[in-house]
Structure formats: C-alpha cells, structure tokens
Amino acid sequence: MYVYNEFDEKFVRNRITQFRGQVDKRIDGSLSEDEFKPLRLMNGLYLQLHAYMLRVAVPYGTLNSAQMRQLAFIADKWDKGYGHFTTRQNIQYNWPKLQDVPDILDALADVEMHAIQTSGNCIRNVTADHFAGAAADEIEDPRPTAELMRQWSTDHPEFQFLPRKFKIAITGSPNDRAVTKAHDIGIRMIRNEADEPGYEIIVGGGLGRTPMVGKVLNPFLPRSDLLPYLEAILQVYNLAGRRDNKYKARIKILVHETGLEEIRDRVEAAFERTKSEFVQPSDKLVEALQKYFEPPLFNNVQSPEFENLKAANPVFRSFTETNLAEHKNPAYAILTISLKPVGGTPGDATSDQMRLVADLGEKYGHDEIRVSHEQNLVLPHVRKADIPQIYAALRKAGLATANIGLISDMIVCPGMDYCSLATASSIPVAQELALRFDELKLEHDIGPLKVKISGCINACGHHHVGHIGILGLDKAGVENYQITLGGDGTENFAIGERAGPGFSADTLIPAIERLIEAYLDIRDEPSETFLATYRRLGMEPFKAALYPQENQHAA
Amino acid sequence: MPRETKPQIVTANDLFEGDVVYFQSDGEWSRTICAAQVVTSALDAKELLARAEIQQDRIVGAYLTNVSVDDQGIPAPVHFRETFRATGPSNYPHGKQVEG
C-alpha cells in the first residue's frame, strides 16, 4: 500500500489548519455561507437534509486495518456509530457537527486519510477495480497508476475550478468491474500486439440526467504518455466545457456536442504541447509506486477444512458460491463481505463491524481491505484454508449475507432519507424489495441480477446500468418510480431502457415481482440470466408483465 | 388587504449541527415544526423570510415552505420532503424522532 511521504503529510496537515481557521471564521461571522460553502465542499463537507455530511476519500478503494479501525473510531466519537460506503469507494458520515470536522480531519490524517477533492468541480477520488492486485483475470494491478493519477490530480493548480466535477476510473482487467465507460475518463490497462503495456483511454461517459456511453479517445496510449495526455484532455475540457449551464457542463456533453473526432484533434494538439512541457515523474517514483503495491508474500499451505466444510454445511457452501471470487493464487480467494443484509441499509457498516473487518483483514488478509463501488467490503487476499474461521466471525457480526451479485445486493443511494437533492426515497424501496424476495425464497433461483436504485435524476445509485434500474421522482408531491431494464456496467456496457410509466411507492414492489416471475417463466434454462433473457427477447415480454392492465385493454 | 396565500413557515438548517430548524414569532429558532410561526399572506411571508435570513450566524439556507394547519393553528408538513426533515430518516431511529 502507498505510504505518505513528507510532502503528503505536510500538505494534508496544512489543509486542515487552513480549514480549521475557515470554520472559526464562519462561526464568528467573518465568512458568510456563500463564502464558506465552496471552502467546506473542497474539504468534503456537505449540508444534507438533517445534518452535515462528511465524505472521506478511500483512494482507489484500498484501506489497511489501521485505517478501517480509525474510521470506526470516528464513527463512535463524532458520529452515530456507523458509516455509509458509497459507489465511489468512499465513506460518508451522516451526522458530524461543524465544529468537530477539523478534529475529524486530524484523526483521518493520523492514518493518512483525508476528505480533499471528494466534492467540488475538481478531479475526484480516482476509483479502481476493487479486486485490483488479486483477481485471476487481471492483466496488471491498476493501483500504481491510480496512485500516480492521485498525486497528479491532488491540488493540481490548473484543475481546481473545472466546469464541473471530474471522475476517473481504471481497470487492469478485461472484465470491467470499475464501470469505466460511465466515467469522465475511463482507463483500461491493455497490451498491444507486441505485448507492450499501455492504456485504452475512454472519454465522455456518464450517468446522471444525460446518460452517455464513454467513447474510445485513444485505443493505445504508451505507458509513459499517460499524465501529459490526461493533462491535455483536462486542458481541452477546462477551456471548452460549458460553464453557462450546470446540467450541460460535464465533459460528456462537450464530447457529444463537439464530436469525438474534433475533441481528439484538440487533445492531440494540446498533447504536443504538454508532452514537451510536462515534468514527468522520475523513474525512481514510478518504481517506488510499483513496489508499494507488490503482491503480499502468499502462504500456499492448503488445508482440507475449506472443502470439508463446503461439503458438510450448505449455508457455508452457499456463501462460498456467491461471496468468493477467483484469486490469481489458487490457494487463495477474494472474499466479498456483503453490506446488504436483508432489510438493512445498503452500504452501511457499524463501528463494531468495521473493527471486525479490520481484525479479519489484519489476521487473515495481509492487512488489505477494499471498498467496492457496489457498496460492499472486500478482503482481497484470503487463504482458502482460513475461510471457515473468517466466515464464522462474519456470521456472528451479521456480515455473512450470501447475496453478492444477487437481487438483494443492490446499489442504493441515500435518497430522501438523507440527501438534500433527492426527489424520492430509495432506502425503504431497497429494504422492502429485499424483504419481499427473502420471503419468496427466490433469490438464488433468480441468479445473477443487478438492481440499482437512485432517488433522483443525478443517478448516484447507477440505475442506468442496473439490469433492473429504479429511479425515484417527485410527481406532483408524490413519490413515483420509473423502471429501466437491460442496463449493464461491465465491458458489455449498456444504458437501460425505460419500460414505461412510473409506479407509486405501493405498486412498485408488486411490479418488480411480476417482472421477475415473467423472467422465471420465459428464461431458456435456469442458467440464462435476467440480462441474457432481456437481450434475447427485448423489452416486450417484460413490459407485458409490468403493465398487465394495458394488455387487457388492448385485447 | 394583503393577498391571502396557503399557510407558510420558514425553515432552515442550524449552522452548528446542521439540524432542521423552524423560525418562531419571537425571532428564535425551534427544533420542532409545531413552534413555527405561520403566515398566510405573500407580504408576511416575504417579511418573515427576510427576518430569518438576517441570522446568518445561526442558520443556513432559510426558505419558505407550505404547511397545513390544524384547528389549534399548529403547522404540519405538506410535502413528503418536509415530513422527512421534520422527523428524521426512516432507516434508523436518529434525528428529531428521538432527539425531539
């Protein structure tokens, strides 16, 4: 893992001192709210529906156990004993008090964490494949590159006031778990025909009110060109991105309105300049970054206990089927800890749960923990032989829900329960949906299915890329939910298609139930997933299930 | 005669805690909606908001919102967003529903 150098430490501490002064000035009246708001946002502090909210960056979703314990400590000391893990691999605290925030930031700095650039019109926390450095299908660990981009983008003087926020995601695997095509810039680590490493640069993807599929700006960028090339893209966007209309200010709109070819020409022209001017990171730094993310020393001692327990205990077997992924070392597995207990709040973890995950990561997981954009936690390197012990500990703490990739493993934004932008609630919808399908005992029969729920058009819940997407809106003062079908956030990226008129809060869950029943009826065989069935048959049979009255009417 | 409007109150967030607060007739802020001053004319509403907005050292983001009023004159939220603000989140017993 990356370790702060003297510069990082000093920068973060200076920023806290500065922010402490700004908070004091807001309280004594020398700063108005209009003056203070951009300053607090630069430090991750929002004002939400019931309280302030502090968004803490987890760079590319990687944490160690000491950091996780500190997050738990902060939750207990200054919040209400829990935290909310987000789709940008960050953690949010929902109840901090303004005067406590500088102290919270100091506590974060003690473990090399901060909340800088988690808000505002700047380059946000770079996200990465949550299985980075562990996945069997990976070409290369994306985190050294992600860390390089973090250093480049943090406090970058030219890019602190972009037309709008800017999000970068990177994957080192052909199976895209980082949703690269829905980011302002998506980066795929690839190799060319000569087996040289490089990057495919995707630009102009995004969700929100105008969902767009990212387009390939450069199919193969040599490794050493990355930072000057990113600098060139950002320069083009900074100058030409729209500042007249907040809703048209993201780079996706610029690419769409200007055309990919024209943008490419402008980026290439800018790149000619940046390439000669750019002070490249030294080879020493690049090598050092590689070293920080070297794989741990694996212990390949096998034990029959894992297979034995799988054979003996069907509940454990079910857990291993859903919550384990293939590790590059066959003696190991990647273990996802679900933060989606049936009826719970997706993405939330109590301080006790955080401490347990920290302990397990330290004892069994080479001190590595990840936050996934799907709002779960991951122990990326666990020995299969240790999984029975890990499972037993998780089970005691209510963290052994065996549902990864299934209907109750939903991405859900905070919605009207917390968010000042929300137009409808989303957490209660998720709770009700999970409880209903638990009652029906259909979850495992349905198989892989991604449901994603947003409580407003800004799409923090990624509904556009849900196999089933749910968007909550305010229709004349009443919550109304639109359903989209067929979205996909992976390498086969697709934006979901709206099925038809929305549903009221009390007719939504029965509608989803009809949808699922229809799928179970029309799938070719149990192994044909919901998404595959949708792709084979299209919208019609699903629409018929969602709107049965209209069919009767037509008949 | 000032034009009658639907009953309205002024609400904001407390500067220090972020908690939802309601503007009272005495110029103080209450944590409960029941204590909010209700106005029923556009002119009164404008004046109430102006009086509230002066208190930038105590609150953030004051605005007018419609309420219903019972026969005792006690206001209650109309829009579901304001119901959430007056109560707290639905997923945990946090906020006003437990803290009063």
Side-chain angles (χ1 to χ4, degrees):
Chain A
M1 246 184 94
Y2 181 70
V3 179
Y4 274 14
N5 60 26
E6 211 177 301
F7 172 82
D8 295 314
E9 166 76 16
K10 209 172 152 195
F11 169 71
V12 170
R13 295 287 181 187
N14 282 347
R15 179 62 91 80
I16 298 166
T17 307
Q18 197 182 42
F19 187 59
R20 195 179 287 278
Q22 290 160 348
V23 169
D24 288 346
K25 286 195 175 78
R26 175 68 184 100
I27 288 169
D28 74 18
S30 31
L31 281 178
S32 71
E33 185 60 22
D34 286 347
E35 290 162 330
F36 180 63
K37 189 178 173 184
L39 302 172
R40 68 167 157 79
L41 288 176
M42 281 172 80
N43 293 286
L45 188 64
Y46 288 74
L47 181 56
Q48 292 287 32
L49 218 51
H50 319 287
Y52 286 97
M53 179 272 278
L54 182 68
R55 180 181 295 153
V56 176
V58 180
Y60 32 90
T62 293
L63 285 166
N64 61 30
S65 55
Q67 290 173 323
M68 186 60 106
R69 275 191 204 105
Q70 190 76 337
L71 294 178
F73 169 77
I74 290 168
D76 283 337
K77 181 157 183 188
W78 290 291
D79 209 88
K80 293 189 189 292
Y82 75 103
H84 176 72
F85 290 97
T86 78
T87 55
R88 299 221 72 251
Q89 300 181 302
N90 293 322
I91 180 171
Q92 295 180 172
Y93 293 104
N94 285 328
W95 303 92
K97 293 183 170 63
L98 179 60
Q99 283 144 303
D100 292 337
V101 173
D103 292 340
I104 299 176
L105 296 178
D106 261 328
L108 287 168
D110 290 345
V111 291
E112 305 190 347
M113 296 182 80
H114 60 74
I116 297 164
Q117 290 183 208
T118 58
S119 175
N121 294 336
C122 52
I123 302 171
R124 302 286 187 89
N125 184 30
V126 174
T127 53
D129 182 356
H130 42 273
F131 291 170
D137 59 11
E138 185 174 85
I139 298 169
E140 199 175 331
D141 188 340
R143 291 173 304 156
T145 305
E147 174 55 29
L148 192 64
M149 291 191 285
R150 187 194 70 78
Q151 297 195 8
W152 161 75
S153 63
T154 300
D155 210 31
H156 192 303
E158 200 177 328
F159 305 137
Q160 291 301 300
F161 296 97
L162 295 167
R164 197 81 178 84
K165 58 187 164 187
F166 204 92
K167 298 175 182 175
I168 302 176
I170 181 165
T171 176
S173 159
N175 297 306
D176 187 356
R177 288 174 289 263
V179 207
T180 57
K181 283 191 175 160
H183 283 76
D184 295 287
I185 293 178
I187 301 174
R188 293 179 57 227
M189 301 181 88
I190 51 173
R191 305 230 168 202
N192 65 9
E193 282 166 7
D195 205 34
E196 292 158 337
Y199 303 108
E200 180 185 79
I201 306 293
I202 299 161
V203 72
L207 302 175
R209 71 182 59 221
T210 320
M212 298 259 187
V213 185
K215 298 159 187 73
V216 177
L217 187 66
N218 191 321
F220 186 86
L221 183 72
R223 187 66 66 93
S224 60
D225 285 346
L226 181 69
L227 293 185
Y229 194 81
L230 293 179
E231 184 113 346
I233 298 174
L234 266 295
Q235 281 182 359
V236 169
Y237 169 58
N238 204 14
L239 281 174
R242 287 180 60 170
R243 289 174 191 265
D244 62 320
N245 182 341
K246 185 181 170 184
Y247 303 121
K248 298 192 172 187
R250 296 288 287 268
I251 196 173
K252 62 187 173 186
I253 305 292
L254 179 69
V255 172
H256 181 72
E257 289 182 348
T258 315
L260 184 65
E261 294 306 315
E262 169 67 19
I263 291 292
R264 186 178 289 131
D265 290 347
R266 289 193 209 174
V267 168
E268 288 297 331
F271 180 52
E272 282 303 307
R273 256 191 342 268
T274 54
K275 203 176 173 179
S276 59
E277 290 168 0
F278 196 85
V279 183
Q280 286 279 13
S282 66
D283 291 348
K284 212 173 125 193
L285 173 71
V286 173
E287 270 170 40
L289 289 183
Q290 289 292 344
K291 280 225 163 62
Y292 282 124
F293 297 98
E294 267 179 5
L297 285 172
F298 292 120
N299 169 355
N300 294 334
V301 177
Q302 312 257 8
S303 134
E305 209 186 325
F306 175 69
E307 293 300 334
N308 289 351
L309 190 63
K310 253 168 83 173
N313 180 341
V315 183
F316 177 70
R317 187 168 62 243
S318 165
F319 177 83
T320 65
E321 281 164 6
T322 50
N323 293 40
L324 297 187
E326 202 183 342
H327 195 281
K328 58 175 73 167
N329 182 324
Y332 275 68
I334 301 168
L335 189 151
T336 301
I337 299 167
S338 172
L339 297 183
K340 320 288 174 62
V342 170
T345 303
D348 280 10
T350 65
S351 54
D352 284 341
Q353 290 176 328
M354 290 185 223
R355 273 184 287 269
L356 175 75
V357 173
D359 291 348
L360 294 173
E362 189 172 38
K363 189 169 179 190
Y364 300 109
H366 298 275
D367 206 23
E368 272 210 43
I369 301 155
R370 304 286 170 74
V371 181
S372 81
H373 83 271
E374 291 181 312
Q375 301 180 283
N376 292 310
L377 296 175
V378 177
L379 298 177
H381 310 291
V382 294
R383 222 161 49 109
K384 284 182 184 160
D386 292 328
I387 292 175
Q389 283 81 7
I390 299 171
Y391 172 75
L394 289 172
R395 214 173 152 196
K396 266 193 219 157
L399 285 171
T401 313
N403 65 348
I404 298 303
L406 303 181
I407 191 169
S408 61
D409 181 18
M410 290 169 258
I411 289 185
V412 184
C413 76
M416 191 63 97
D417 279 289
Y418 296 90
C419 178
S420 60
L421 300 174
T423 46
S425 28
S426 43
I427 292 169
V429 172
Q431 290 172 318
E432 214 187 312
L433 189 63
L435 286 166
R436 179 62 186 144
F437 279 89
D438 185 52
E439 212 170 64
L440 295 170
K441 299 289 166 221
L442 276 176
E443 180 160 64
H444 289 263
D445 190 19
I446 296 163
L449 176 58
K450 291 190 189 292
V451 177
K452 302 185 198 280
I453 309 175
S454 305
C456 85
I457 193 84
N458 293 309
C460 294
H462 292 190
H463 65 276
H464 296 297
V465 293
H467 304 167
I468 299 175
I470 299 172
L471 165 63
L473 295 169
D474 175 348
K475 205 170 171 187
V478 181
E479 289 167 301
N480 188 271
Y481 295 90
Q482 287 181 358
I483 293 178
T484 53
L485 299 176
D488 182 358
T490 70
E491 62 284 0
N492 305 311
F493 192 91
I495 287 165
E497 195 185 339
R498 198 178 141 194
F503 294 87
S504 65
D506 51 344
T507 59
L508 176 65
I509 305 300
I512 304 276
E513 204 176 316
R514 292 196 299 277
L515 190 67
I516 298 297
E517 277 167 9
Y519 154 66
L520 293 173
D521 279 348
I522 59 181
R523 68 181 174 188
D524 252 352
E525 50 186 3
S527 67
E528 190 182 48
T529 63
F530 180 90
L531 186 61
T533 307
Y534 177 83
R535 284 186 173 153
R536 179 169 59 85
L537 295 172
M539 178 66 85
E540 279 320 306
F542 296 99
K543 207 169 171 173
L546 283 173
Y547 306 102
Q549 283 148 340
E550 280 177 25
N551 290 345
Q552 283 168 10
H553 208 65
Chain B
M1 180 85 188
R3 191 170 53 86
E4 285 277 313
T5 57
K6 284 184 179 163
Q8 287 185 305
I9 59 166
V10 167
T11 179
N13 289 82
D14 179 74
L15 171 63
F16 304 95
E17 298 188 359
D19 193 10
V20 176
V21 288
Y22 301 95
F23 198 47
Q24 300 181 156
S25 54
D26 61 0
E28 293 296 313
W29 294 87
S30 168
R31 303 275 162 150
T32 56
I33 192 169
C34 318
Q37 182 181 358
V38 181
V39 289
T40 53
S41 84
L43 196 64
D44 287 348
K46 206 174 159 187
E47 193 200 309
L48 189 70
L49 183 61
R51 277 206 295 135
E53 277 180 331
I54 293 169
Q55 299 193 25
Q56 288 292 315
D57 56 340
R58 297 178 67 186
I59 55 100
V60 181
Y63 63 92
L64 287 158
T65 184
N66 289 346
V67 287
S68 63
V69 178
D70 68 9
D71 49 14
Q72 311 284 312
I74 307 291
V78 175
H79 194 276
F80 63 90
R81 183 177 196 270
E82 291 303 325
T83 307
F84 271 104
R85 290 182 80 245
T87 316
S90 70
N91 60 333
Y92 298 116
H94 290 159
K96 292 197 182 303
Q97 55 204 325
V98 288
E99 286 154 15

